[in-house]
């Protein structure tokens, strides 16, 4: 039975799509048949990060409207054979997504096409696309930056995850995991951004599954059309690999959370 994971937050620009791409790629690299669905109708970006923008012929809305079959709209990843993307429409209205249509797609992905994992890349905010991305979820990755407005918006999303999804309507709960992105240990040490403990344990009270530091590799990977998990020498790539491992039940220590000690000459010359 396929497991549906939504990658969500409240605020835009926190790294949801980056997280969706690397999380989906990480699952596929471990042998799981995985699809990542872009729910951001009108503003799709997932295809760019995964490097398949030129291969899109049909999209999510085409499938819901019946103008294309699901297997026509699915785009296979260039690097990993068992990873697919279902792109959003770039031109349709956000209300083009319907509960019945999304449910039919989820059922076909799970029952007919036998996907192991369905990763839903949610748009920012709480509009229809975000609501539908959350509605069918079994588990959620809540992505936030270590700053007040981002954490506050994530807190609101947690409230929705605990009250509106189908699983909650049926008496269950959506399992929550917290991902903190763009973390800078040096700035945190100087009190210039919120601490991990404040975010995870005091405010959101959601189990922490990963912390991804600020990294130039994220931008470089996006520009090249690769999920940053394909950059194993980068801090961000390593941390996304750790997130996937923890999600699958492995124990991994958290890394890249402390300030690097400066060498003698760096201290001497202010480097």
């Amino acid at each position: 039975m396929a497991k549906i994971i939504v990658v969500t937050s409240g605020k835009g620009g926190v790294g949801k799509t980056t997280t969706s791409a690397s999380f989906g790629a990480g699952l596929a690299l471990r042998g799981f048949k995985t699809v990542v669905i872009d729910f951001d109708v009108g503003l799709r970006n997932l295809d760019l990060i995964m490097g398949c923008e030129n291969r899109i012929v049909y999209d999510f809305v085409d499938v819901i409207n019946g103008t294309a079959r699901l297997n026509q709209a699915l785009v296979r990843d260039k690097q990993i054979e068992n990873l697919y993307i279902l792109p959003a429409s770039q031109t349709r209205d956000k209300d083009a997504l319907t509960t019945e249509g999304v449910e039919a797609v989820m059922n076909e992905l799970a029952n007919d096409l036998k996907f192991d994992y369905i990763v839903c890349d949610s748009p920012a905010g709480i509009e229809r696309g975000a609501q539908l991305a959350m509605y069918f979820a079994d588990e959620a990755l809540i992505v936030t930056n270590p700053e007040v407005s981002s954490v506050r918006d994530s807190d609101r999303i947690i409230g929705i995850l605990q009250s509106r999804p189908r699983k909650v309507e049926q008496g269950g709960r959506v399992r929550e995991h917290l991902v903190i992105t763009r973390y800078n240990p040096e700035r945190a040490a100087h009190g210039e951004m919120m601490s991990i403990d404040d975010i995870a344990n005091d405010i959101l009270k959601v189990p922490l599954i990963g912390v991804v530091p600020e990294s130039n590799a994220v931008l470089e990977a996006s520009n090249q059309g690769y999920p940053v998990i394909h950059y194993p020498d980068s801090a961000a790539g390593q941390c996304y690999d750790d997130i996937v491992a923890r999600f699958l039940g492995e124990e991994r220590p958290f890394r890249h959370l402390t300030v690097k000690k400066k060498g003698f000459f760096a201290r001497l010359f202010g480097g």
Side-chain angles (χ1 to χ4, degrees), residues 167-211:
K167 200 160 189 177
V168 178
E169 293 175 351
Q170 296 171 345
R173 60 184 289 270
V174 175
R175 189 180 176 201
E176 301 162 354
H177 311 273
L178 179 63
V179 178
I180 299 173
T181 56
R182 302 190 69 182
Y183 182 72
N184 184 313
E186 190 165 342
R187 290 184 61 198
H190 288 107
E192 297 173 2
M193 61 171 50
M194 298 176 72
S195 73
I196 294 169
D197 188 59
D198 285 343
I199 298 168
N201 300 323
D202 292 343
I203 301 175
L204 298 183
K205 299 185 185 299
V206 170
L208 183 67
I209 198 172
V211 180

Side-chain angles (χ1 to χ4, degrees), residues 51 70 74-75 84 86-87 97 102 112 128 144 154 171 174-175 191 198 201 215 224 229 252 257 264:
L70 180 56
L74 288 171
V75 180
Y84 295 79
L86 181 56
L97 297 179
V102 173
D112 299 339
R128 185 160 184 79
T144 192
S154 292
V174 175
R175 189 180 176 201
D198 285 343
N201 300 323
S215 172
Q224 294 295 323
I229 200 170
R252 291 272 184 100
L257 300 184
F264 173 76

Side-chain angles (χ1 to χ4, degrees), residues 134-138 158-176:
M134 288 186 277
Y135 183 71
F136 296 97
D138 298 305
I158 291 167
I160 294 173
L161 283 167
Q162 293 176 350
S163 59
R164 294 186 184 175
R166 180 174 62 177
K167 200 160 189 177
V168 178
E169 293 175 351
Q170 296 171 345
R173 60 184 289 270
V174 175
R175 189 180 176 201
E176 301 162 354

Side-chain angles (χ1 to χ4, degrees), residues 49-154:
I49 289 179
M50 298 186 74
C52 63
E53 67 276 12
N54 294 325
R55 296 190 176 186
I56 295 172
V57 179
Y58 297 108
D59 57 53
F60 195 6
V61 175
D62 289 326
V63 176
I64 288 175
N65 288 342
T67 55
R69 297 177 63 86
L70 180 56
N71 61 356
Q72 291 178 288
L74 288 171
V75 180
R76 179 178 284 179
D77 184 70
K78 295 179 181 179
Q79 308 296 319
I80 310 170
E81 186 175 348
N82 56 337
L83 177 63
Y84 295 79
I85 175 177
L86 181 56
S89 170
Q90 217 167 11
T91 58
R92 307 291 175 84
D93 187 274
K94 291 183 182 293
D95 291 331
L97 297 179
T98 64
T99 303
E100 297 77 13
V102 173
E103 182 175 21
V105 169
M106 296 293 186
N107 288 340
E108 187 174 350
L109 288 169
N111 301 326
D112 299 339
L113 299 179
K114 307 298 183 185
F115 278 91
D116 298 306
Y117 288 100
I118 301 168
V119 180
C120 303
D121 182 25
S122 172
I126 54 173
E127 44 79 27
R128 185 160 184 79
Q131 296 273 3
L132 285 171
M134 288 186 277
Y135 183 71
F136 296 97
D138 298 305
E139 305 197 32
L141 299 185
I142 300 151
V143 183
T144 192
N145 291 162
E147 52 97 14
V148 173
S149 64
S150 178
V151 173
R152 180 188 62 191
D153 288 350
S154 292

